[in-house]
Amino acid sequence: MSPLLPNGRSIVLIGLMGCGKSTIGRELSRATSLPFLDTDMLIEDQVGMEIPRIFAEMGESRFRVLETALLNYLRDNPSPRSSGIIATGGGIILRQENRAILRSLGFVVWLDVDLPNLLSRTARAQNRPLLHNADRESRLRELMAIRSPLYEQTAHLRINSSNLKASQVVDLILQQAPSFFADSLSNG
Ligand code: S3P
């Protein structure tokens, strides 16, 4: 068992596309030697298609069903392989059911990044169907307005990481995680 996380519990990263969930998640995984899981990658493996194709062939609503099914699986099968550092897709907080499951998985951290940084960080990638063929600035602004309250209510910790290096974000999370897990153990 890792000294940082109680058995079967996780650090879960949430936030908009481009906020750094995968980068920070991988760094956290390296720093802690805990497994790195990425909900988008797990869904891609399960379906055998990449996200843009899942959206094109099955639609966003089916993708949301797959996200909920995956979260239920992670909650119901806690094991060293299904827990650790979990990066999530940006829209995973849209369903109320998902928000509750995310909080039950462990320490949920919202990487809150401002619009200019999100714009530059999403400039090149082609693998995000919600930004494809869109005015990225208005789309991200709109997603931010709709989703910020949902990230807020799901997260145990919000980090404004716009101007922080990945290593600084990792340090902040590692500083806060022990007291979160100590409190959650003592509160049952
Ligand atoms: C989505 C974000 C993507 C991916 C899908 C939908 C969203 O993940 O799940 O394209 O609704 O914001 P990232 O946040 O990792 O890009």
Side-chain angles (χ1 to χ4, degrees):
M1 169 170 133
S2 153
L4 178 68
L5 300 189
N7 256 343
R9 310 222 59 211
S10 294
I11 294 175
V12 183
L13 304 177
I14 61 171
L16 279 173
M17 294 175 271
C19 73
K21 292 163 291 188
S22 303
T23 307
I24 307 286
R26 285 180 199 284
E27 283 217 16
L28 270 172
S29 161
R30 263 194 299 275
T32 57
S33 303
L34 289 163
F36 174 68
L37 289 82
D38 179 311
T39 58
D40 284 344
M41 283 168 46
L42 291 170
I43 291 171
E44 289 182 331
D45 287 349
Q46 184 203 341
V47 180
M49 287 186 223
E50 294 192 346
I51 300 287
R53 213 171 131 213
I54 298 177
F55 270 65
E57 294 190 11
M58 303 167 85
E60 180 177 347
S61 59
R62 179 76 193 132
F63 174 74
R64 300 296 173 205
V65 171
L66 293 170
E67 278 186 322
T68 301
L70 173 61
L71 288 180
N72 274 305
Y73 176 84
L74 294 176
R75 182 198 47 203
D76 296 342
N77 297 278
S79 78
R81 280 175 51 232
S82 61
S83 57
I85 311 297
I86 306 179
T88 58
I92 206 155
I93 43 61
L94 289 171
R95 293 179 158 202
Q96 199 280 331
E97 189 181 356
N98 293 5
R99 299 197 289 277
I101 301 174
L102 287 164
R103 283 180 71 85
S104 76
L105 293 178
F107 185 39
V108 183
V109 180
W110 172 22
L111 304 178
D112 186 17
V113 169
D114 61 24
L115 192 59
N117 275 288
L118 288 179
L119 272 172
S120 64
R121 295 183 196 185
T122 54
R124 285 205 313 273
Q126 293 298 309
N127 58 348
R128 295 187 167 109
L130 293 185
L131 300 180
H132 199 58
N133 289 333
D135 167 352
R136 269 188 314 117
E137 179 164 355
S138 0
R139 176 60 61 85
L140 281 168
R141 195 189 299 282
E142 177 189 38
L143 291 175
M144 195 177 253
I146 294 168
R147 294 179 179 182
S148 290
L150 304 178
Y151 293 129
E152 176 104 59
Q153 53 178 268
T154 310
H156 297 107
L157 173 69
R158 170 184 184 171
I159 298 179
N160 184 337
S161 53
S162 305
N163 300 308
L164 298 181
K165 290 190 211 139
S167 59
Q168 293 174 302
V169 179
V170 166
D171 287 349
L172 281 172
I173 295 172
L174 293 180
Q175 274 161 26
Q176 302 286 327
S179 58
F180 170 82
F181 286 111
D183 288 352
S184 69
L185 280 180
S186 63
N187 295 332

